Amino acid sequence: MSPHTHISPALAGGISDRAFRLYCYLVLEGDGGWATVQDAADACNLTNHQSREPLSELRKAGMVESRRVYEMGAHGRKTWHVYFRLPQDATSEAAA
């Protein structure tokens, strides 16, 4: 975690409680790297499906960025995985 990353955008954002919890997870544990939906859900005591809408809410608000990667899944088949992180411009501005 960057010592200069703040949660104030989430406090004033008018986002849901679940979205706030997921945003705090990314601030505290993200280190600017990509986190899977499942990792974020596990950390916030949510199911994978319970975390998808709040993460989408954060993406639409511009508080996180996402990427989809077509890669090998746990069952040996290729599938889409979604990753989230704090926007790089926000983390670099906070560190400056």
Side-chain angles (χ1 to χ4, degrees), residues 76-90:
R77 290 182 285 186
K78 284 206 164 200
T79 187
W80 288 103
H81 290 127
V82 180
Y83 295 87
F84 287 87
R85 71 174 177 190
L86 296 175
Q88 289 301 300
D89 57 338

Side-chain angles (χ1 to χ4, degrees), residues 1-86:
M1 172 182 94
S2 169
H4 303 287
T5 305
H6 300 284
I7 63 166
S8 53
L11 296 174
I15 58 174
S16 68
D17 291 343
R18 287 181 179 171
F20 179 76
R21 288 166 54 191
L22 291 163
Y23 182 79
C24 288
Y25 164 75
L26 290 172
V27 169
L28 296 172
E29 302 294 331
D31 294 328
W34 294 98
T36 65
V37 173
Q38 190 64 55
D39 290 341
D42 290 343
C44 295
N45 199 25
L46 300 170
T47 67
N48 187 311
H49 293 286
Q50 288 174 325
S51 65
R52 288 183 181 275
E53 184 176 344
L55 284 168
S56 179
E57 181 182 343
L58 290 171
R59 185 183 46 78
K60 288 177 186 172
M63 298 171 72
V64 299
E65 52 188 26
S66 65
R67 71 173 180 172
R68 290 179 67 202
V69 179
Y70 193 60
E71 60 190 5
M72 193 65 68
H75 299 290
R77 290 182 285 186
K78 284 206 164 200
T79 187
W80 288 103
H81 290 127
V82 180
Y83 295 87
F84 287 87
R85 71 174 177 190
L86 296 175

